[in-house]
């Protein structure tokens, strides 16, 4: 009975992942769309967490979502930005679980996902309380094939491809803020949608 319950639980997770993947695969790709950034962020947080649980069923990570209810839309490639978002979250999950393995019981793996309007740009911020990134590595983190993960654990392409999508294709910025031992924050910023900007 216990095994059947676990099978049903993981089946539901797999079903959710497949449904989300099918929705995103059928979504319009390659063309910028006026996008509700809060809804997009929440959707991909759920997808990324389901993916984590499918990979590590007993993982427990607290996710604190703080979305600005007054946030304007942005002109984005939703599917591509979603993939960037999942990659950032996947890296954050790995970071906090790595720190948990070497910390005492009081440590709580936590990721904060927030949105706001900063300097007239729509901002998405993904912040973790993991081990952080050394200053010398922060300079290389968006380079192709560079990875801080052990051999065989990462391609080193996720952040570099994400940088191309965010900066070159969507006209945004993609930066990292980190202090060694204190966690890391990845920050995406995009221009507001032309329709919204034109209405002011």
């Amino acid at each position: 009975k216990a095994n059947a319950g676990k099978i049903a639980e993981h089946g539901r997770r797999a079903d959710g992942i497949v449904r989300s993947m099918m929705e995103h695969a059928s979504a319009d790709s390659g063309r910028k769309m006026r996008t509700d950034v809060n809804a997009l962020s929440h959707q991909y947080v759920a997808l990324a967490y389901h993916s984590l649980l499918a990979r590590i069923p007993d993982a427990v990570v607290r996710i604190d979502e703080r979305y600005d209810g007054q946030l304007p839309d942005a002109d984005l490639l939703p599917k591509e930005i979603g993939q960037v978002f999942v990659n950032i979250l996947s890296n954050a999950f790995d970071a906090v679980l790595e720190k948990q393995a070497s910390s005492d019981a009081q440590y709580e793996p936590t990721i904060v996902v927030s949105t706001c309007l900063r300097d007239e740009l729509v901002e998405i911020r993904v912040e973790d309380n993991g081990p952080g990134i050394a200053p010398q590595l922060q300079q290389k983190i968006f380079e192709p094939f560079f990875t801080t993960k052990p051999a065989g654990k990462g391609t080193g392409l996720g952040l570099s491809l994400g940088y191309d999508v965010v900066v070159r294709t969507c006209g945004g910025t993609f930066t990292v803020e980190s202090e060694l031992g204190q966690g890391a924050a990845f920050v995406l910023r995009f221009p507001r949608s032309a329709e919204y900007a034109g209405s002011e």
Side-chain angles (χ1 to χ4, degrees):
K1 186 176 180 180
N3 287 341
K6 281 292 183 184
I7 290 169
E9 178 187 349
H10 293 305
R12 286 191 294 271
R13 284 187 191 138
D15 180 64
I17 292 169
V18 170
R19 285 178 183 273
S20 295
M21 291 175 68
M22 289 177 67
E23 287 174 7
H24 301 316
S26 63
D28 205 358
S29 180
R31 181 171 61 88
K32 286 185 183 180
M33 300 172 59
R34 189 179 185 199
T35 303
D36 180 335
V37 172
N38 289 339
L40 183 77
S41 299
H42 178 68
Q43 182 179 19
Y44 279 97
V45 164
L47 176 61
Y49 196 63
H50 280 305
S51 298
L52 171 67
L53 293 179
R55 184 165 52 97
I56 310 174
D58 60 346
V60 178
V61 177
R62 184 169 73 88
I63 302 179
D64 186 1
E65 296 180 77
R66 305 174 184 175
Y67 301 134
D68 181 352
Q70 304 301 314
L71 192 72
D73 294 341
D75 286 329
L76 304 176
L77 302 172
K79 178 181 173 184
E80 286 80 354
I81 293 300
Q83 291 169 343
V84 174
F85 199 60
V86 167
N87 183 263
I88 294 171
L89 284 167
S90 177
N91 288 343
F93 290 142
D94 289 344
V96 297
L97 293 175
E98 174 191 330
K99 184 171 181 178
Q100 183 183 42
S102 59
S103 299
D104 59 34
Q106 293 184 335
Y107 173 74
E108 182 181 18
T110 303
I111 294 172
V112 179
V113 180
S114 60
T115 61
C116 69
L117 186 66
R118 191 183 305 277
D119 299 327
E120 295 304 306
L121 296 172
V122 174
E123 177 180 291
I124 308 171
R125 184 181 184 92
V126 180
E127 189 167 4
D128 67 64
N129 66 342
I133 304 167
Q136 64 270 26
L137 300 184
Q138 293 178 39
Q139 306 300 319
K140 302 178 180 180
I141 207 160
F142 296 111
E143 294 178 4
F145 303 108
F146 177 80
T147 180
T148 59
K149 296 181 181 179
K153 294 292 185 180
T155 63
L157 288 173
L159 290 176
S160 66
L161 293 174
Y163 187 90
D164 285 343
V165 170
V166 173
V167 177
R168 296 187 173 89
T169 306
C170 293
T173 64
F174 191 0
T175 58
V176 60
E177 303 168 5
S178 181
E179 185 176 339
L180 200 58
Q182 301 299 316
F186 285 86
V187 184
L188 312 178
R189 294 192 180 110
F190 305 95
R192 295 188 292 178
S193 72
E195 181 177 348
Y196 184 92
S199 66
E200 295 186 339

